Amino acid sequence: FFIKNMSVLFAPFIVGLIVQKELLFKNLVPIIVIVFISSAFVIILCGIIVEKGLQYLAQAREKTGLLVITEVMDTMDISLLCKYADVLQVGARNMQNFKLLKALGRIKKPVMIKRGPAATIKEFLLAAEYVVSNGNPNVILCERGVKSFDSQFSRNVLDIAAVPIVRKISHLPIIVDPSHGTGKRYLIEPMGKAALIAGAHGLMFEVHHDPDNAMCDGAQSLSIEQFKETTKSFNKLIGR
């Protein structure tokens, strides 16, 4: 699903024990996609730690040359994930898990931190500081929206202003996740464009081969065809 002139990171989103080997290499499974303005290709695994799933991702890396980024949810899992992953992701609800952040500061792998659903920008940056101050300077920030009193039309409020603010006061790269930030498929493209215009270093959004029948997050996932068209529009916006 590589779109010419855009660096795309494909991510099998494996929930629990749902590991579909055939889909992994043909259509991929329900996936999260991160689009960086310039970066290597990466595969992401989120959810419950299943070593077999990690092994599938390692096989996919061998076949495709993609790197692997996976979510870490507990300090006990770090050593296992480091065997397979090139980047470790801290989920939004672990953004202030300080024991986990300190432990990630003691590894050499890059770490991506998602903003907590009720976190201020200062708290977001201080979470990254726990990793950096413990010896790991390789941190990526991910804006994914914050909770609001109004959830009727969007899952969260995607804080686009956080992008230029972070770029002004921090040296760390920041990407934006309009899938979790809005929870609505039709909002991914316009909010993704807004994020890029605001200066985001990249985008993260979900893609599924059959989103209407997805077991998880189908409402905020693009179909494969929608993904192709959306990335074309992103390419056009950034002049690629």
Side-chain angles (χ1 to χ4, degrees):
F1 309 171
F2 171 67
I3 306 299
K4 187 177 181 181
N5 295 327
M6 178 162 274
S7 298
V8 180
L9 299 80
F10 290 106
F13 184 49
I14 301 175
V15 182
L17 297 176
I18 304 171
V19 181
Q20 303 174 53
K21 186 173 181 181
E22 291 302 313
L23 285 176
L24 183 62
F25 297 118
K26 293 182 179 178
N27 294 320
L28 299 179
V29 286
I31 60 175
I32 292 176
V33 175
I34 299 184
V35 182
F36 279 76
I37 301 300
S38 61
S39 89
F41 286 12
V42 180
I43 302 176
I44 298 185
L45 165 67
C46 299
I48 299 172
I49 299 299
V50 181
E51 186 165 11
K52 192 65 176 178
L54 294 170
Q55 292 170 353
Y56 283 145
L57 293 185
Q59 292 173 25
R61 174 169 52 197
E62 292 176 4
K63 287 179 175 287
T64 63
L66 306 183
L67 302 179
V68 174
I69 171 173
T70 182
E71 181 169 348
V72 57
M73 303 181 73
D74 193 291
T75 55
M76 295 186 297
D77 299 323
I78 292 176
S79 59
L80 171 63
L81 296 180
C82 284
K83 289 170 54 180
Y84 299 95
D86 299 287
V87 183
L88 299 188
Q89 173 183 311
V90 176
R93 287 161 185 81
N94 268 320
M95 190 208 80
Q96 290 185 308
N97 183 337
F98 302 125
K99 183 177 181 181
L100 177 62
L101 296 173
K102 289 178 181 178
L104 292 171
R106 295 190 287 270
I107 66 172
K108 299 184 182 299
K109 304 277 187 179
V111 176
M112 185 177 79
I113 303 175
K114 302 196 78 174
R115 183 179 179 181
T120 65
I121 293 174
K122 182 178 180 179
E123 290 168 338
F124 189 24
L125 291 172
L126 288 176
E129 187 66 18
Y130 272 91
V131 179
V132 175
S133 65
N134 278 275
N136 187 350
N138 304 306
V139 177
I140 303 165
L141 301 173
C142 180
E143 165 59 44
R144 46 80 70 201
V146 292
K147 289 294 184 183
S148 168
F149 57 86
D150 185 1
S151 59
Q152 182 176 359
F153 299 105
S154 65
R155 180 174 179 176
N156 296 295
V157 173
L158 189 57
D159 189 2
I160 298 297
V163 174
I165 292 171
V166 168
R167 292 200 61 159
K168 179 177 176 62
I169 63 179
S170 174
H171 68 286
L172 298 175
I174 181 168
I175 68 172
V176 173
D177 176 359
S179 282
H180 285 87
T182 67
K184 303 293 182 182
R185 191 178 306 156
Y186 77 94
L187 291 174
I188 292 175
E189 182 175 346
M191 296 308 289
K193 287 180 176 178
L196 291 174
I197 291 172
H201 294 91
L203 300 175
M204 175 177 184
F205 50 92
E206 294 187 57
V207 179
H208 193 290
H209 63 281
D210 186 11
D212 291 332
N213 293 299
M215 298 183 69
C216 178
D217 290 343
Q220 63 189 42
S221 300
L222 299 176
S223 68
I224 302 302
E225 288 304 314
Q226 288 171 329
F227 167 66
K228 291 179 180 179
E229 292 304 313
T230 299
T231 49
K232 285 178 183 177
S233 69
F234 290 154
N235 268 331
K236 183 177 180 180
L237 178 67
I238 62 177
R240 292 194 175 188

PDB file of all heavy atoms in Angstrom, residues 6 35 37 178 187-194 196 203 205 222 227-240:
ATOM      1  N   MET A   6       5.504   9.369  -0.643  1.00  0.00           N
ATOM      2  CA  MET A   6       5.112   9.581   0.747  1.00  0.00           C
ATOM      3  C   MET A   6       5.606   8.409   1.578  1.00  0.00           C
ATOM      4  O   MET A   6       5.411   7.267   1.208  1.00  0.00           O
ATOM      5  CB  MET A   6       3.594   9.719   0.876  1.00  0.00           C
ATOM      6  CG  MET A   6       3.139   9.897   2.316  1.00  0.00           C
ATOM      7  SD  MET A   6       1.473  10.550   2.453  1.00  0.00           S
ATOM      8  CE  MET A   6       1.815  12.302   2.344  1.00  0.00           C
ATOM      9  N   VAL A  35       1.958   8.372   8.788  1.00  0.00           N
ATOM     10  CA  VAL A  35       2.563   8.957   7.604  1.00  0.00           C
ATOM     11  C   VAL A  35       3.511  10.055   8.064  1.00  0.00           C
ATOM     12  O   VAL A  35       3.077  11.051   8.624  1.00  0.00           O
ATOM     13  CB  VAL A  35       1.497   9.549   6.673  1.00  0.00           C
ATOM     14  CG1 VAL A  35       2.124  10.100   5.426  1.00  0.00           C
ATOM     15  CG2 VAL A  35       0.458   8.490   6.325  1.00  0.00           C
ATOM     16  N   ILE A  37       6.469  12.914   7.129  1.00  0.00           N
ATOM     17  CA  ILE A  37       6.939  13.711   5.997  1.00  0.00           C
ATOM     18  C   ILE A  37       8.210  13.082   5.440  1.00  0.00           C
ATOM     19  O   ILE A  37       8.396  12.955   4.254  1.00  0.00           O
ATOM     20  CB  ILE A  37       7.218  15.164   6.421  1.00  0.00           C
ATOM     21  CG1 ILE A  37       5.936  15.801   7.003  1.00  0.00           C
ATOM     22  CG2 ILE A  37       7.708  15.983   5.239  1.00  0.00           C
ATOM     23  CD1 ILE A  37       4.787  15.842   6.049  1.00  0.00           C
ATOM     24  N   PRO A 178      -5.353  11.936  13.652  1.00  0.00           N
ATOM     25  CA  PRO A 178      -6.742  12.374  13.477  1.00  0.00           C
ATOM     26  C   PRO A 178      -7.766  11.253  13.605  1.00  0.00           C
ATOM     27  O   PRO A 178      -8.962  11.533  13.710  1.00  0.00           O
ATOM     28  CB  PRO A 178      -6.740  12.972  12.061  1.00  0.00           C
ATOM     29  CG  PRO A 178      -5.641  12.264  11.350  1.00  0.00           C
ATOM     30  CD  PRO A 178      -4.599  11.986  12.394  1.00  0.00           C
ATOM     31  N   LEU A 187     -13.514  12.782   9.020  1.00  0.00           N
ATOM     32  CA  LEU A 187     -12.728  13.891   9.558  1.00  0.00           C
ATOM     33  C   LEU A 187     -11.224  13.677   9.447  1.00  0.00           C
ATOM     34  O   LEU A 187     -10.445  14.591   9.698  1.00  0.00           O
ATOM     35  CB  LEU A 187     -13.098  14.120  11.026  1.00  0.00           C
ATOM     36  CG  LEU A 187     -14.502  14.675  11.287  1.00  0.00           C
ATOM     37  CD1 LEU A 187     -14.791  14.719  12.779  1.00  0.00           C
ATOM     38  CD2 LEU A 187     -14.658  16.066  10.676  1.00  0.00           C
ATOM     39  N   ILE A 188     -10.806  12.467   9.066  1.00  0.00           N
ATOM     40  CA  ILE A 188      -9.371  12.180   9.007  1.00  0.00           C
ATOM     41  C   ILE A 188      -8.662  13.073   7.998  1.00  0.00           C
ATOM     42  O   ILE A 188      -7.627  13.681   8.306  1.00  0.00           O
ATOM     43  CB  ILE A 188      -9.133  10.691   8.676  1.00  0.00           C
ATOM     44  CG1 ILE A 188      -9.583   9.806   9.843  1.00  0.00           C
ATOM     45  CG2 ILE A 188      -7.650  10.439   8.356  1.00  0.00           C
ATOM     46  CD1 ILE A 188      -9.497   8.317   9.556  1.00  0.00           C
ATOM     47  N   GLU A 189      -9.209  13.177   6.794  1.00  0.00           N
ATOM     48  CA  GLU A 189      -8.528  13.972   5.767  1.00  0.00           C
ATOM     49  C   GLU A 189      -8.477  15.459   6.109  1.00  0.00           C
ATOM     50  O   GLU A 189      -7.385  16.056   6.076  1.00  0.00           O
ATOM     51  CB  GLU A 189      -9.176  13.761   4.400  1.00  0.00           C
ATOM     52  CG  GLU A 189      -8.465  14.536   3.304  1.00  0.00           C
ATOM     53  CD  GLU A 189      -9.013  14.242   1.916  1.00  0.00           C
ATOM     54  OE1 GLU A 189      -9.751  13.249   1.756  1.00  0.00           O
ATOM     55  OE2 GLU A 189      -8.691  15.003   0.977  1.00  0.00           O
ATOM     56  N   PRO A 190      -9.615  16.111   6.436  1.00  0.00           N
ATOM     57  CA  PRO A 190      -9.515  17.548   6.724  1.00  0.00           C
ATOM     58  C   PRO A 190      -8.663  17.870   7.940  1.00  0.00           C
ATOM     59  O   PRO A 190      -7.901  18.852   7.928  1.00  0.00           O
ATOM     60  CB  PRO A 190     -10.978  17.971   6.930  1.00  0.00           C
ATOM     61  CG  PRO A 190     -11.726  16.717   7.208  1.00  0.00           C
ATOM     62  CD  PRO A 190     -11.017  15.650   6.461  1.00  0.00           C
ATOM     63  N   MET A 191      -8.743  17.040   8.992  1.00  0.00           N
ATOM     64  CA  MET A 191      -7.938  17.322  10.172  1.00  0.00           C
ATOM     65  C   MET A 191      -6.472  16.969   9.950  1.00  0.00           C
ATOM     66  O   MET A 191      -5.576  17.590  10.523  1.00  0.00           O
ATOM     67  CB  MET A 191      -8.500  16.572  11.377  1.00  0.00           C
ATOM     68  CG  MET A 191      -9.907  17.009  11.772  1.00  0.00           C
ATOM     69  SD  MET A 191     -10.063  18.802  11.991  1.00  0.00           S
ATOM     70  CE  MET A 191      -9.151  19.039  13.512  1.00  0.00           C
ATOM     71  N   GLY A 192      -6.235  15.964   9.108  1.00  0.00           N
ATOM     72  CA  GLY A 192      -4.861  15.652   8.742  1.00  0.00           C
ATOM     73  C   GLY A 192      -4.223  16.802   7.982  1.00  0.00           C
ATOM     74  O   GLY A 192      -3.067  17.175   8.222  1.00  0.00           O
ATOM     75  N   LYS A 193      -4.986  17.389   7.067  1.00  0.00           N
ATOM     76  CA  LYS A 193      -4.479  18.540   6.313  1.00  0.00           C
ATOM     77  C   LYS A 193      -4.211  19.717   7.244  1.00  0.00           C
ATOM     78  O   LYS A 193      -3.195  20.410   7.120  1.00  0.00           O
ATOM     79  CB  LYS A 193      -5.485  18.935   5.231  1.00  0.00           C
ATOM     80  CG  LYS A 193      -5.549  17.969   4.055  1.00  0.00           C
ATOM     81  CD  LYS A 193      -6.568  18.436   3.036  1.00  0.00           C
ATOM     82  CE  LYS A 193      -6.573  17.518   1.812  1.00  0.00           C
ATOM     83  NZ  LYS A 193      -7.592  17.943   0.822  1.00  0.00           N
ATOM     84  N   ALA A 194      -5.135  19.940   8.173  1.00  0.00           N
ATOM     85  CA  ALA A 194      -4.945  21.033   9.127  1.00  0.00           C
ATOM     86  C   ALA A 194      -3.679  20.831   9.943  1.00  0.00           C
ATOM     87  O   ALA A 194      -2.932  21.782  10.207  1.00  0.00           O
ATOM     88  CB  ALA A 194      -6.163  21.131  10.046  1.00  0.00           C
ATOM     89  N   LEU A 196      -0.962  19.134   9.054  1.00  0.00           N
ATOM     90  CA  LEU A 196       0.214  19.358   8.214  1.00  0.00           C
ATOM     91  C   LEU A 196       0.464  20.848   8.000  1.00  0.00           C
ATOM     92  O   LEU A 196       1.601  21.317   8.052  1.00  0.00           O
ATOM     93  CB  LEU A 196       0.038  18.655   6.867  1.00  0.00           C
ATOM     94  CG  LEU A 196       0.052  17.122   6.903  1.00  0.00           C
ATOM     95  CD1 LEU A 196      -0.280  16.559   5.522  1.00  0.00           C
ATOM     96  CD2 LEU A 196       1.394  16.599   7.383  1.00  0.00           C
ATOM     97  N   LEU A 203       1.684  12.214  10.275  1.00  0.00           N
ATOM     98  CA  LEU A 203       0.325  11.863  10.648  1.00  0.00           C
ATOM     99  C   LEU A 203       0.241  10.393  11.004  1.00  0.00           C
ATOM    100  O   LEU A 203       0.969   9.568  10.455  1.00  0.00           O
ATOM    101  CB  LEU A 203      -0.649  12.130   9.488  1.00  0.00           C
ATOM    102  CG  LEU A 203      -0.753  13.550   8.968  1.00  0.00           C
ATOM    103  CD1 LEU A 203      -1.662  13.588   7.747  1.00  0.00           C
ATOM    104  CD2 LEU A 203      -1.259  14.499  10.050  1.00  0.00           C
ATOM    105  N   PHE A 205      -2.852   7.528  11.304  1.00  0.00           N
ATOM    106  CA  PHE A 205      -4.285   7.259  11.191  1.00  0.00           C
ATOM    107  C   PHE A 205      -4.512   5.794  10.873  1.00  0.00           C
ATOM    108  O   PHE A 205      -3.613   5.090  10.444  1.00  0.00           O
ATOM    109  CB  PHE A 205      -4.952   8.159  10.143  1.00  0.00           C
ATOM    110  CG  PHE A 205      -4.283   8.209   8.808  1.00  0.00           C
ATOM    111  CD1 PHE A 205      -4.651   7.344   7.795  1.00  0.00           C
ATOM    112  CD2 PHE A 205      -3.298   9.144   8.553  1.00  0.00           C
ATOM    113  CE1 PHE A 205      -4.035   7.388   6.563  1.00  0.00           C
ATOM    114  CE2 PHE A 205      -2.678   9.203   7.312  1.00  0.00           C
ATOM    115  CZ  PHE A 205      -3.054   8.321   6.312  1.00  0.00           C
ATOM    116  N   LEU A 222      -9.964   4.293   7.720  1.00  0.00           N
ATOM    117  CA  LEU A 222     -10.165   4.423   6.282  1.00  0.00           C
ATOM    118  C   LEU A 222     -10.128   3.049   5.633  1.00  0.00           C
ATOM    119  O   LEU A 222      -9.446   2.147   6.104  1.00  0.00           O
ATOM    120  CB  LEU A 222      -9.063   5.286   5.665  1.00  0.00           C
ATOM    121  CG  LEU A 222      -8.921   6.729   6.138  1.00  0.00           C
ATOM    122  CD1 LEU A 222      -7.707   7.370   5.472  1.00  0.00           C
ATOM    123  CD2 LEU A 222     -10.176   7.532   5.846  1.00  0.00           C
ATOM    124  N   PHE A 227      -7.733   5.273   1.813  1.00  0.00           N
ATOM    125  CA  PHE A 227      -6.364   5.567   2.205  1.00  0.00           C
ATOM    126  C   PHE A 227      -5.542   6.062   1.017  1.00  0.00           C
ATOM    127  O   PHE A 227      -4.807   7.052   1.111  1.00  0.00           O
ATOM    128  CB  PHE A 227      -5.733   4.319   2.817  1.00  0.00           C
ATOM    129  CG  PHE A 227      -4.237   4.399   2.966  1.00  0.00           C
ATOM    130  CD1 PHE A 227      -3.661   5.304   3.834  1.00  0.00           C
ATOM    131  CD2 PHE A 227      -3.406   3.564   2.233  1.00  0.00           C
ATOM    132  CE1 PHE A 227      -2.286   5.385   3.981  1.00  0.00           C
ATOM    133  CE2 PHE A 227      -2.030   3.631   2.370  1.00  0.00           C
ATOM    134  CZ  PHE A 227      -1.472   4.543   3.237  1.00  0.00           C
ATOM    135  N   LYS A 228      -5.677   5.381  -0.114  1.00  0.00           N
ATOM    136  CA  LYS A 228      -4.917   5.784  -1.303  1.00  0.00           C
ATOM    137  C   LYS A 228      -5.278   7.198  -1.732  1.00  0.00           C
ATOM    138  O   LYS A 228      -4.406   8.017  -2.032  1.00  0.00           O
ATOM    139  CB  LYS A 228      -5.182   4.793  -2.440  1.00  0.00           C
ATOM    140  CG  LYS A 228      -4.603   3.409  -2.213  1.00  0.00           C
ATOM    141  CD  LYS A 228      -4.948   2.488  -3.372  1.00  0.00           C
ATOM    142  CE  LYS A 228      -4.375   1.096  -3.183  1.00  0.00           C
ATOM    143  NZ  LYS A 228      -4.736   0.191  -4.303  1.00  0.00           N
ATOM    144  N   GLU A 229      -6.579   7.501  -1.760  1.00  0.00           N
ATOM    145  CA  GLU A 229      -7.020   8.824  -2.194  1.00  0.00           C
ATOM    146  C   GLU A 229      -6.615   9.895  -1.185  1.00  0.00           C
ATOM    147  O   GLU A 229      -6.220  11.000  -1.561  1.00  0.00           O
ATOM    148  CB  GLU A 229      -8.545   8.831  -2.393  1.00  0.00           C
ATOM    149  CG  GLU A 229      -9.013   7.983  -3.559  1.00  0.00           C
ATOM    150  CD  GLU A 229      -8.357   8.375  -4.879  1.00  0.00           C
ATOM    151  OE1 GLU A 229      -8.321   9.597  -5.174  1.00  0.00           O
ATOM    152  OE2 GLU A 229      -7.860   7.474  -5.586  1.00  0.00           O
ATOM    153  N   THR A 230      -6.712   9.559   0.100  1.00  0.00           N
ATOM    154  CA  THR A 230      -6.366  10.529   1.131  1.00  0.00           C
ATOM    155  C   THR A 230      -4.890  10.874   1.094  1.00  0.00           C
ATOM    156  O   THR A 230      -4.508  12.045   1.196  1.00  0.00           O
ATOM    157  CB  THR A 230      -6.740   9.974   2.522  1.00  0.00           C
ATOM    158  OG1 THR A 230      -8.146   9.751   2.573  1.00  0.00           O
ATOM    159  CG2 THR A 230      -6.359  10.969   3.620  1.00  0.00           C
ATOM    160  N   THR A 231      -4.051   9.863   0.929  1.00  0.00           N
ATOM    161  CA  THR A 231      -2.616  10.139   0.888  1.00  0.00           C
ATOM    162  C   THR A 231      -2.225  10.910  -0.378  1.00  0.00           C
ATOM    163  O   THR A 231      -1.286  11.699  -0.354  1.00  0.00           O
ATOM    164  CB  THR A 231      -1.796   8.844   0.985  1.00  0.00           C
ATOM    165  OG1 THR A 231      -2.287   7.883   0.054  1.00  0.00           O
ATOM    166  CG2 THR A 231      -1.867   8.270   2.382  1.00  0.00           C
ATOM    167  N   LYS A 232      -2.963  10.706  -1.458  1.00  0.00           N
ATOM    168  CA  LYS A 232      -2.719  11.514  -2.659  1.00  0.00           C
ATOM    169  C   LYS A 232      -2.983  12.984  -2.369  1.00  0.00           C
ATOM    170  O   LYS A 232      -2.232  13.867  -2.798  1.00  0.00           O
ATOM    171  CB  LYS A 232      -3.614  11.032  -3.809  1.00  0.00           C
ATOM    172  CG  LYS A 232      -3.181   9.729  -4.450  1.00  0.00           C
ATOM    173  CD  LYS A 232      -4.153   9.316  -5.553  1.00  0.00           C
ATOM    174  CE  LYS A 232      -3.776   7.974  -6.155  1.00  0.00           C
ATOM    175  NZ  LYS A 232      -4.768   7.544  -7.194  1.00  0.00           N
ATOM    176  N   SER A 233      -4.061  13.255  -1.623  1.00  0.00           N
ATOM    177  CA  SER A 233      -4.386  14.639  -1.299  1.00  0.00           C
ATOM    178  C   SER A 233      -3.347  15.232  -0.342  1.00  0.00           C
ATOM    179  O   SER A 233      -3.008  16.413  -0.437  1.00  0.00           O
ATOM    180  CB  SER A 233      -5.792  14.750  -0.687  1.00  0.00           C
ATOM    181  OG  SER A 233      -5.831  14.175   0.606  1.00  0.00           O
ATOM    182  N   PHE A 234      -2.815  14.405   0.570  1.00  0.00           N
ATOM    183  CA  PHE A 234      -1.754  14.870   1.455  1.00  0.00           C
ATOM    184  C   PHE A 234      -0.489  15.171   0.651  1.00  0.00           C
ATOM    185  O   PHE A 234       0.198  16.169   0.891  1.00  0.00           O
ATOM    186  CB  PHE A 234      -1.451  13.838   2.537  1.00  0.00           C
ATOM    187  CG  PHE A 234      -2.538  13.668   3.567  1.00  0.00           C
ATOM    188  CD1 PHE A 234      -2.665  12.477   4.250  1.00  0.00           C
ATOM    189  CD2 PHE A 234      -3.405  14.694   3.861  1.00  0.00           C
ATOM    190  CE1 PHE A 234      -3.664  12.315   5.209  1.00  0.00           C
ATOM    191  CE2 PHE A 234      -4.405  14.541   4.820  1.00  0.00           C
ATOM    192  CZ  PHE A 234      -4.530  13.355   5.497  1.00  0.00           C
ATOM    193  N   ASN A 235      -0.175  14.289  -0.291  1.00  0.00           N
ATOM    194  CA  ASN A 235       0.992  14.512  -1.155  1.00  0.00           C
ATOM    195  C   ASN A 235       0.882  15.832  -1.900  1.00  0.00           C
ATOM    196  O   ASN A 235       1.834  16.599  -2.009  1.00  0.00           O
ATOM    197  CB  ASN A 235       1.110  13.368  -2.169  1.00  0.00           C
ATOM    198  CG  ASN A 235       1.989  12.237  -1.667  1.00  0.00           C
ATOM    199  OD1 ASN A 235       2.904  12.452  -0.889  1.00  0.00           O
ATOM    200  ND2 ASN A 235       1.723  11.030  -2.131  1.00  0.00           N
ATOM    201  N   LYS A 236      -0.305  16.082  -2.413  1.00  0.00           N
ATOM    202  CA  LYS A 236      -0.539  17.313  -3.168  1.00  0.00           C
ATOM    203  C   LYS A 236      -0.360  18.527  -2.268  1.00  0.00           C
ATOM    204  O   LYS A 236       0.232  19.533  -2.665  1.00  0.00           O
ATOM    205  CB  LYS A 236      -1.951  17.306  -3.771  1.00  0.00           C
ATOM    206  CG  LYS A 236      -2.252  18.516  -4.645  1.00  0.00           C
ATOM    207  CD  LYS A 236      -3.642  18.392  -5.268  1.00  0.00           C
ATOM    208  CE  LYS A 236      -3.943  19.602  -6.138  1.00  0.00           C
ATOM    209  NZ  LYS A 236      -5.295  19.498  -6.747  1.00  0.00           N
ATOM    210  N   LEU A 237      -0.863  18.420  -1.034  1.00  0.00           N
ATOM    211  CA  LEU A 237      -0.779  19.550  -0.100  1.00  0.00           C
ATOM    212  C   LEU A 237       0.660  19.895   0.236  1.00  0.00           C
ATOM    213  O   LEU A 237       1.016  21.078   0.337  1.00  0.00           O
ATOM    214  CB  LEU A 237      -1.541  19.198   1.183  1.00  0.00           C
ATOM    215  CG  LEU A 237      -1.533  20.239   2.290  1.00  0.00           C
ATOM    216  CD1 LEU A 237      -2.312  21.480   1.851  1.00  0.00           C
ATOM    217  CD2 LEU A 237      -2.096  19.684   3.580  1.00  0.00           C
ATOM    218  N   ILE A 238       1.504  18.869   0.426  1.00  0.00           N
ATOM    219  CA  ILE A 238       2.895  19.126   0.822  1.00  0.00           C
ATOM    220  C   ILE A 238       3.833  19.187  -0.377  1.00  0.00           C
ATOM    221  O   ILE A 238       5.048  19.230  -0.235  1.00  0.00           O
ATOM    222  CB  ILE A 238       3.376  18.072   1.835  1.00  0.00           C
ATOM    223  CG1 ILE A 238       3.357  16.666   1.224  1.00  0.00           C
ATOM    224  CG2 ILE A 238       2.551  18.127   3.102  1.00  0.00           C
ATOM    225  CD1 ILE A 238       3.887  15.570   2.169  1.00  0.00           C
ATOM    226  N   GLY A 239       3.247  19.168  -1.574  1.00  0.00           N
ATOM    227  CA  GLY A 239       4.045  19.375  -2.785  1.00  0.00           C
ATOM    228  C   GLY A 239       4.876  18.196  -3.209  1.00  0.00           C
ATOM    229  O   GLY A 239       5.981  18.357  -3.729  1.00  0.00           O
ATOM    230  N   ARG A 240       4.335  16.968  -3.031  1.00  0.00           N
ATOM    231  CA  ARG A 240       5.079  15.771  -3.446  1.00  0.00           C
ATOM    232  C   ARG A 240       4.355  15.068  -4.580  1.00  0.00           C
ATOM    233  O   ARG A 240       3.155  15.148  -4.707  1.00  0.00           O
ATOM    234  CB  ARG A 240       5.221  14.823  -2.260  1.00  0.00           C
ATOM    235  CG  ARG A 240       6.132  15.390  -1.176  1.00  0.00           C
ATOM    236  CD  ARG A 240       6.521  14.319  -0.204  1.00  0.00           C
ATOM    237  NE  ARG A 240       7.480  14.835   0.763  1.00  0.00           N
ATOM    238  CZ  ARG A 240       8.104  14.074   1.636  1.00  0.00           C
ATOM    239  NH1 ARG A 240       7.908  12.780   1.669  1.00  0.00           N
ATOM    240  NH2 ARG A 240       8.963  14.598   2.494  1.00  0.00           N
TER     241      ARG A 240
END
